[in-house]
Amino acid sequence: MPLGNKGYQAMILCPKKNGILIVKQNRKHIIITTMNVSELEKFRTQSMPVLMRKVYTWMAMALVITGICAYGVAASPSLVTLIFSGRFTFYGLIFAELALVWYISARIDTLSLSTATTLFTLYAALNGVTLSAIFLFYDITTIGQVFFITAGTFGAMAFFGYTTKKDLSAMGHMLYMALLGLIIATVVNLFMQNPMFDYILSYIGVGVFVGLTAWDSQKIKRILTEMPDAGEEAQKFALLGALTLYLDFINLFLYLLRIFSKRR
């Protein structure tokens, strides 16, 4: 069964009376291992919670790094001038962020855990540098309030996605299509400069990322459950899950910030 679109697949068969055969395939190798039923149950009851904690620990670490970098840049007039006075530097940082996300996602099965962690940390820092602009446009009270609203909303939806027995796959696919439409509409509005349309897009964005948080939480749980152990391979997918949820959180925060700022 597929574990996502990251070039890695796993398939579990049951050829023996008291065990299972696990066939793992990545871009370069096919690895065959065996695991008896008791070992599988031990993993699911002991290792799975450890991997999920790593997901949220990495995500929280990234949010802290982003916040520190954003506030640090905003507090330095010289850095603000350097980054935002010309388009070349700012858009160069944006391009670097997109490249990092693509590289981590596409190469997660070939990167070492330490390298993937370093790249994730670098991405969080770069994102903080570009997000420092929010401190220039919004007051610190509004930012703090929206952050806690985002945290509460995100936590509730992540918990729902993790605990629900309902398959959210159909909803997830629809939300990804909605996300694509949202991106296109946002680009169009860059030329239209329609404030009301921007306001509507903000509400749509909140709805999309609220749903994606639940779907991604369920998807990450399923992926990690299918891992045969809690070794480096599983931890790399936990890191990728942390990146996914981090992006959900950041986008939800930004859309909520735009809504609440318009109410002031």
Side-chain angles (χ1 to χ4, degrees), residues 174-184 208-209 212 251 255:
M174 291 178 61
L175 287 170
Y176 277 121
M177 293 176 62
L179 177 59
L180 178 60
L182 180 64
I183 293 172
I184 294 173
V208 167
F209 283 101
L212 283 177
N251 281 286
Y255 279 115

Side-chain angles (χ1 to χ4, degrees), residues 66-219:
T66 298
I68 292 174
C69 290
Y71 186 80
V73 170
S76 172
S78 59
L79 287 177
V80 170
T81 302
L82 174 64
I83 295 168
F84 299 105
S85 61
R87 293 186 177 182
F88 179 80
T89 303
F90 179 74
Y91 286 110
L93 290 171
I94 295 294
F95 178 79
E97 288 183 53
L98 294 174
L100 274 173
V101 170
W102 175 83
Y103 187 79
I104 295 171
S105 300
R107 306 283 294 181
I108 191 65
D109 56 328
T110 58
L111 294 172
S112 67
L113 179 59
S114 59
T115 300
T117 304
T118 300
L119 292 176
F120 183 25
T121 303
L122 177 60
Y123 171 74
L126 287 177
N127 202 29
V129 172
T130 56
L131 287 180
S132 62
I134 66 174
F135 289 98
L136 306 179
F137 294 100
Y138 308 105
D139 64 80
I140 191 70
T141 302
T142 301
I143 294 173
Q145 290 174 343
V146 173
F147 177 84
F148 284 111
I149 293 171
T150 304
T153 305
F154 177 91
M157 296 311 298
F159 180 78
F160 170 75
Y162 185 84
T163 57
T164 185
K165 296 185 182 300
K166 182 179 180 180
D167 187 358
L168 302 179
S169 299
M171 182 186 78
H173 296 148
M174 291 178 61
L175 287 170
Y176 277 121
M177 293 176 62
L179 177 59
L180 178 60
L182 180 64
I183 293 172
I184 294 173
T186 301
V187 172
V188 170
N189 200 43
L190 289 176
F191 300 96
M192 293 173 54
Q193 295 292 313
N194 188 320
M196 181 54 67
F197 189 44
D198 182 66
Y199 196 45
I200 294 171
L201 289 178
S202 296
Y203 276 97
I204 294 174
V206 168
V208 167
F209 283 101
V210 162
L212 283 177
T213 298
W215 158 233
D216 287 333
S217 180
Q218 184 181 81
K219 182 174 63 175

Side-chain angles (χ1 to χ4, degrees), residues 228-242:
D229 55 52
E232 180 170 321
E233 200 68 41
Q235 291 184 54
K236 287 194 293 184
F237 276 91
L239 180 70
L240 194 60

